[in-house]
Amino acid sequence: MSDGGQGPWGDAEGSPTGQPPGSGWVPPGAPQRPPPGPRWTSPGLQWPPPRPQWPPPQPPPPPRQRGRGPVVALAVVLVLLATAGGVVAARDNRRAASNEEVPIGPTTSAPPSSTAAPASASRTEKAIAAVRARVEQVRELRFRRSVPVKILSPAKLADQLLRELDAETDERALAQQGRALELLGELRPGTDLPKLIRSVQAESVLGFYVPGKPPAKGRLYVRSDRGVDPYTEFVLSHELTHAVTDQHYDLTLSDRLEAAGKDDQLTAYSGLVEGDAVLTMQRYLGRELNPQQQAQVAQAAAAEHTPKLDAAPEVLRESLLFPYQSGLSFVTTLYQRGGYAAVDRAYRDPPTSTEQVLHPERYLDRDQPQAVAVPDLAGKLGAGWRQGTQVEWGELDTRLMLQGELPEATAELAAAGWDGGRLRTFERAGRTAMVLRTVWDSAGQAGEFCDAAGRWAAGRFGAAQGGSRWSGLGQATALVCKGTHTAWLSAPDGATLDHLQGALGPP
């Protein structure tokens, strides 16, 4: 899906890491779907982010040119983009939802006869067609085929999103990833990560798009019980951006990245996709809606409430926000350098790491991450041990981990030298051992990370016991640093930790 999560695993607006099927717009933050091995996307950003000014600033014009999982939209993101302090909440004067499905074709196609559907459906179809035409102008891309659009009530939209996610989510993989996050202190012990992600996404979804070609894919869903009012139009501009870019640049790349286990790259790609849609939505708001309509959008957005997301662990909230906030900064950098032509080039040559999204200059310089592997050590840990989960570990993940015990600025600085990483777990009888291996741009930057990681570990477990080892919270742990390479090891007891470190060898 497009929009809304990439949160830990999923791509629903407002979803956690990884990216679930399709695309949509969920309240800020959203997960990403896990691959054949669980995947977790963790952005490191301030929560809640500072409120933007209203109306949101428009990006500067691009330089003159010579010639010429679903995506989910999150309510929180919309609120952050469309509101400022002091906006009065809209009255709840909702009418029954129409649950209409309207196929919207390319601009060149003739409008359907007014007698082909009831008057209300005809009005909705014309309104959506008008939004589509305006999105073409704002985004500077034309639709190549029709896009089935379905307007659903909040409850029905949440049900539809959950059906899409259930069809593509590996709950066992998510649970394994959740256990790894527990060991790192990012989730409370016993957290049911699949259940948590479902509840947050269902609460916050405003719309989503399922990438691919009809009839099975290429579908778009938007939440509304008031027809195509200004707020619905605002959300629809986001989802239609996903639809038109999918038709030109094939957003199902997210599925292939997930299947290949390229978790950090998938999170980075989600940043491009969502950042583009947020930028276009902002430009649509300023160009296509008049001041009265903008005020209606702000009022409706201010009335959005996401208590489950607000109460969720920081790692989940930040993961959901990353594609929208950091993705917007990334895409805005490209747009300022070369307009939408530069953004389009990024779809043909996408960012390959969250490092490149967080630091756009590294994308422009093509600073590619190093491949990092963690071998299967299960057979060397003793009888009964088996493989658990295996995921890419990016700069974003590193930031979020360190932010659990250190100031945000310290965590960001310590993670900035990241050049590659992988996390792998092993399981036996309900117990988990873990290896988190990273490589850094220089020995100096590896040393900065190791210093920060040592302070992070002391914050979690207390004073080190004999060098760089700690114990507590049901774990025996060790930090190993050598040159540009580091490894964080965790095991249920000291003997298993010794086996794990001996089997791994140098970091």
Side-chain angles (χ1 to χ4, degrees), residues 363-398:
Y363 167 74
L364 296 170
D365 292 340
R366 296 304 187 270
D367 180 0
Q368 301 295 344
Q370 295 187 47
V372 176
V374 176
D376 181 4
L377 307 176
K380 297 182 179 181
L381 297 181
W385 284 94
R386 56 186 174 81
Q387 296 185 54
T389 187
Q390 181 174 189
V391 298
E392 283 186 344
W393 187 263
E395 178 175 340
L396 193 59
D397 302 293
T398 305

Side-chain angles (χ1 to χ4, degrees), residues 159-171:
D159 288 344
Q160 182 65 40
L161 175 64
L162 292 178
R163 283 195 295 272
E164 298 282 350
L165 296 180
D166 288 345
E168 299 190 29
T169 298
D170 184 339
E171 290 203 5

Side-chain angles (χ1 to χ4, degrees), residues 100 102 117-129 228:
E100 300 167 86
V102 184
S120 61
S122 178
R123 285 195 300 270
T124 299
E125 181 174 351
K126 290 178 180 178
I128 295 174
V228 185

Side-chain angles (χ1 to χ4, degrees), residues 94-102 118-125 128 149-154 156 222-229 232:
R94 298 175 179 175
R95 298 190 296 272
S98 57
N99 300 329
E100 300 167 86
E101 180 166 354
V102 184
S120 61
S122 178
R123 285 195 300 270
T124 299
E125 181 174 351
I128 295 174
V149 176
K150 196 168 232 185
I151 297 178
L152 300 175
S153 68
K156 290 188 176 181
V222 173
R223 187 191 83 185
S224 178
D225 48 15
R226 292 184 295 271
V228 185
D229 64 359
T232 304

Side-chain angles (χ1 to χ4, degrees), residues 53-387:
Q53 66 188 68
W54 178 259
Q58 295 300 306
R64 291 183 178 274
Q65 304 292 319
R66 295 184 182 178
R68 267 269 42 149
V71 182
V72 180
L74 303 179
V76 176
V77 174
L78 291 182
V79 172
L80 295 173
L81 288 171
T83 65
V87 176
V88 179
R91 290 173 296 174
D92 189 5
N93 58 350
R94 298 175 179 175
R95 298 190 296 272
S98 57
N99 300 329
E100 300 167 86
E101 180 166 354
V102 184
I104 299 301
T107 321
T108 54
S109 61
S113 169
S114 59
T115 61
S120 61
S122 178
R123 285 195 300 270
T124 299
E125 181 174 351
K126 290 178 180 178
I128 295 174
V131 177
R132 182 214 62 232
R134 290 193 283 268
V135 167
E136 287 185 324
Q137 294 298 315
V138 174
R139 183 52 184 82
E140 300 174 14
L141 284 177
R142 293 179 69 84
F143 285 89
R144 293 174 169 174
R145 59 179 177 269
S146 63
V147 180
V149 176
K150 196 168 232 185
I151 297 178
L152 300 175
S153 68
K156 290 188 176 181
L157 180 66
D159 288 344
Q160 182 65 40
L161 175 64
L162 292 178
R163 283 195 295 272
E164 298 282 350
L165 296 180
D166 288 345
E168 299 190 29
T169 298
D170 184 339
E171 290 203 5
R172 181 172 179 273
L174 273 181
Q176 290 176 321
Q177 294 169 353
R179 177 55 181 155
L181 292 172
E182 290 178 21
L183 294 176
L184 293 171
E186 298 187 81
L187 291 180
R188 290 185 295 274
T191 296
D192 185 335
L193 184 58
K195 181 178 180 180
L196 176 61
I197 290 174
R198 283 173 55 90
S199 66
V200 168
Q201 289 181 318
E203 170 194 66
S204 58
V205 66
L206 296 178
F208 65 93
Y209 172 72
V210 183
K213 295 182 179 180
K217 305 289 185 178
R219 293 172 284 110
L220 190 159
Y221 301 87
V222 173
R223 187 191 83 185
S224 178
D225 48 15
R226 292 184 295 271
V228 185
D229 64 359
Y231 190 49
T232 304
E233 181 174 347
F234 183 52
V235 177
L236 189 57
S237 72
H238 182 106
E239 299 307 332
L240 284 170
T241 300
H242 289 315
V244 73
T245 52
D246 183 32
Q247 292 182 13
H248 284 261
Y249 303 114
D250 187 9
L251 300 189
T252 62
L253 173 60
S254 61
D255 298 323
R256 298 189 291 278
L257 291 174
E258 180 182 343
K262 296 182 178 180
D263 312 293
D264 193 57
Q265 187 172 343
L266 173 56
T267 304
Y269 182 65
S270 297
L272 167 63
V273 171
E274 294 301 344
D276 180 13
V278 173
L279 174 64
T280 302
M281 181 176 66
Q282 283 185 333
R283 297 185 70 243
Y284 188 99
L285 180 71
R287 286 181 39 161
E288 304 299 335
L289 299 184
N290 62 40
Q292 181 180 3
Q293 292 171 322
Q294 292 178 7
Q296 290 175 318
V297 170
Q299 190 177 31
E304 296 285 357
H305 298 290
T306 55
K308 292 180 181 178
L309 178 65
D310 297 342
E314 180 182 25
V315 65
L316 181 57
R317 298 196 307 267
E318 298 288 358
S319 297
L320 292 176
L321 278 173
F322 174 77
Y324 304 98
Q325 289 192 313
S326 293
L328 174 60
S329 296
F330 173 76
V331 171
T332 298
T333 297
L334 301 182
Y335 181 84
Q336 290 173 343
R337 293 172 66 98
Y340 276 121
V343 179
D344 292 341
R345 285 193 294 271
Y347 279 98
R348 294 187 285 266
D349 182 16
T352 55
S353 67
T354 53
E355 175 192 43
Q356 292 183 349
V357 175
L358 291 165
H359 311 279
E361 70 279 4
R362 299 183 190 178
Y363 167 74
L364 296 170
D365 292 340
R366 296 304 187 270
D367 180 0
Q368 301 295 344
Q370 295 187 47
V372 176
V374 176
D376 181 4
L377 307 176
K380 297 182 179 181
L381 297 181
W385 284 94
R386 56 186 174 81
Q387 296 185 54

